[in-house]
Amino acid sequence: MSQPPCPQCQSEYVYPDQNMLICPECGFEWDPSTSTDDDEITAKDANGSVLKAGDKTTVIKDLKIKGSSQVIKVGTKALVRRVLDKKDHELDCKVDGIGEMMVTAKFVKKA
């Protein structure tokens, strides 16, 4: 019988244990009867609005780019490509005039 892949690491080596499914690679355990659609990763902007992939944002503070002399100016628009579960740079964005960058959510606001 085929089991669904692990929702955390996408491993295909999942095995059942009573009413739970267990991933041997990352150790994640979950109940397949519960819905996992609400487990989408989100981040909050400077105003407390929830940011998701596809949202358009505006930078609220001049941001120095590490290892470069460029600066992302206040008011620069960015498109959130994906939201990651990290502590420092949780937004993978396409910033106008700069390109692909990782940005901290507390330095942007939803446009």
Side-chain angles (χ1 to χ4, degrees), residues 19-99:
N19 63 342
M20 302 289 283
L21 292 177
I22 301 173
C23 175
E25 291 186 12
C26 69
F28 185 68
E29 299 179 11
W30 74 99
D31 187 0
S33 64
T34 61
S35 175
T36 57
D37 295 338
D38 297 333
D39 293 341
E40 186 175 321
I41 299 170
T42 58
K44 291 189 177 183
D45 68 358
N47 296 331
S49 300
V50 175
L51 295 172
K52 295 182 182 177
D55 286 344
K56 294 182 181 186
T57 61
T58 305
V59 178
I60 62 165
K61 175 182 174 182
D62 284 349
L63 301 174
K64 293 180 183 177
I65 299 174
K66 193 173 192 177
S68 174
S69 61
Q70 284 184 313
V71 176
I72 302 174
K73 295 288 189 177
V74 173
T76 304
K77 296 186 187 302
L79 175 68
V80 178
R81 297 278 176 136
R82 62 185 176 157
V83 179
L84 303 173
D85 192 18
K86 290 188 171 183
K87 295 205 185 271
D88 51 353
H89 296 88
E90 56 264 300
L91 302 176
D92 184 12
C93 298
K94 181 174 183 201
V95 181
D96 289 351
I98 306 292

